[in-house]
Amino acid sequence: MEKRKLGFILVFLAGVCWGSAGVLGKILMESGLQPEVVAMYRLILGFLVLTLVFLVLNPTILRVKFERIPYLMLGGIIGVAGGISAYFYAVKLISASVAVILLYTYPVFVLIFAKIFVKEKLTIRKIFSVILVIFGCFLVVKGYNLTYLRLTGLGMFIGLTSALAYAVYMIISKVMLKDIDEPTIVIYTLGFGALTLATFNLIFNQVPFFFETQTLFLIFLIAIIPTSLAFTLFIFGLKLVETGKASIYTTSEILSALILAFIILGERLEFPQIFGAIIVFSSIVMIYWK
């Protein structure tokens, strides 16, 4: 299989896996867990499982040049822990719909950063695809319904910060892929992200350590599917495609989130939402088949 096609499939599937985080997270939070605690366990367990698997496959996988560690740390703290935390806080301050719309502006930041730091071409096709993605996401999360909108200046700022954090993660990962193996990047960034959230929660929140069997199963799922598996697929795919295109491919996340919310949570889909999903998918197709 050619690299371009394989890269597209891996990144697209990463987005699909990320889409399960919303549904699983919602169920866990409805059971009484705080968003920050869900994010912490998601990263800690995801990191531990992934590290164990890759160490069995390759015991030298954790070896990395010392001068690269600050970059991996930056990716983990800002891109992983910062992105997840900023999104959760944005949801607290503004409506979830607006928070999602702001989060999905990250392809805009990625295109700009990719142009500056990795010298990728900024084409009309990419710009148009990003505009379509944002508009499609606006429809998917019912941005057209004013009853779902709740705005504050701080909330919007933090929402955009979450988008910026994800863009930083993508760019740092792309740069690191030049001389660091894919599994190493995933392990270190998830590890630093998990350490950051664990430290924060242990200081500022009451952290539960014992759970019912069903809750523990859901925590395990959110640690595996939208964390270990999603980040691994993304990093392996990112090595094969341009960063700007990868940022658009990962918007498959909102498509899978919409479908899973319909199937698992029983949420009713409105025609504008379906139309928005079609727009998002069309933008992905358009940027792939140039």
Side-chain angles (χ1 to χ4, degrees):
M1 184 181 296
E2 61 176 295
K3 289 184 178 180
R4 186 176 73 94
K5 182 180 294 185
L6 178 59
F8 165 74
I9 293 173
L10 292 175
V11 175
F12 186 89
L13 289 177
V16 171
C17 291
W18 272 322
S20 66
V23 172
L24 294 172
K26 184 172 183 178
I27 297 173
L28 284 168
M29 286 183 280
E30 286 179 348
S31 71
L33 292 181
Q34 293 297 315
E36 298 88 345
V37 174
V38 173
M40 180 193 73
Y41 277 115
R42 171 187 172 184
L43 289 183
I44 289 177
L45 290 181
F47 162 73
L48 292 176
V49 169
L50 206 59
T51 301
L52 178 62
V53 170
F54 280 127
L55 281 177
V56 170
L57 296 175
N58 181 6
T60 65
I61 201 66
L62 294 180
R63 292 180 183 176
V64 64
K65 295 179 180 178
F66 181 78
E67 60 268 23
R68 293 300 188 189
I69 291 181
Y71 295 99
L72 295 169
M73 185 182 297
L74 194 65
I77 295 175
I78 295 180
V80 179
I84 292 174
S85 300
Y87 174 70
F88 278 143
Y89 277 111
V91 171
K92 283 185 177 181
L93 294 171
I94 55 180
S95 64
S97 299
V98 178
V100 170
I101 294 170
L102 293 174
L103 172 64
Y104 279 94
T105 61
Y106 71 81
V108 176
F109 295 111
V110 172
L111 290 184
I112 295 172
F113 292 161
K115 172 69 175 178
I116 297 172
F117 296 107
V118 292
K119 309 304 179 184
E120 291 183 4
K121 292 182 179 179
L122 186 59
T123 65
I124 297 297
R125 184 184 292 267
K126 289 180 183 178
I127 296 173
F128 186 61
S129 294
V130 167
I131 293 173
L132 284 180
V133 163
I134 295 174
F135 179 64
C137 291
F138 174 81
L139 295 178
V140 168
V141 300
K142 299 183 180 180
Y144 52 87
N145 191 333
L146 295 180
T147 60
Y148 288 88
L149 300 182
R150 176 164 51 89
L151 304 176
T152 68
L154 179 61
M156 294 186 69
F157 173 77
I158 295 177
L160 287 172
T161 299
S162 67
L164 182 62
Y166 283 119
V168 168
Y169 178 80
M170 289 188 180
I171 296 300
I172 289 177
S173 298
K174 188 67 171 181
V175 173
M176 292 297 96
L177 281 168
K178 293 179 180 178
D179 57 3
I180 301 179
D181 290 336
E182 296 93 325
T184 306
I185 294 176
V186 180
I187 290 173
Y188 273 95
T189 53
L190 287 186
F192 283 123
L195 181 61
T196 301
L197 289 184
T199 302
F200 175 85
N201 278 287
L202 290 173
I203 294 175
F204 296 104
N205 292 322
Q206 290 184 340
V207 180
F209 295 100
F210 300 99
F211 306 96
E212 296 179 356
T213 303
Q214 181 180 355
T215 301
L216 190 61
F217 176 69
L218 290 172
I219 291 175
F220 182 76
L221 283 183
I222 202 171
I224 298 300
I225 299 174
T227 311
S228 298
L229 182 58
F231 277 94
T232 300
L233 288 170
F234 174 74
I235 292 298
F236 274 88
L238 183 62
K239 190 167 186 177
L240 304 176
V241 298
E242 291 183 359
T243 319
K245 290 183 178 180
S247 70
I248 297 171
Y249 296 159
T250 56
T251 57
S252 58
E253 174 183 354
I254 202 166
L255 304 179
S256 66
L258 185 69
I259 294 171
L260 289 173
F262 173 74
I263 296 174
I264 298 176
L265 301 179
E267 294 185 2
R268 186 173 65 88
L269 298 182
E270 299 177 0
F271 174 75
Q273 289 181 284
I274 298 173
F275 182 60
I278 294 172
I279 290 176
V280 172
F281 184 74
S282 298
S283 69
I284 294 173
V285 172
M286 184 180 70
I287 201 65
Y288 176 72
W289 274 289
K290 59 181 181 178

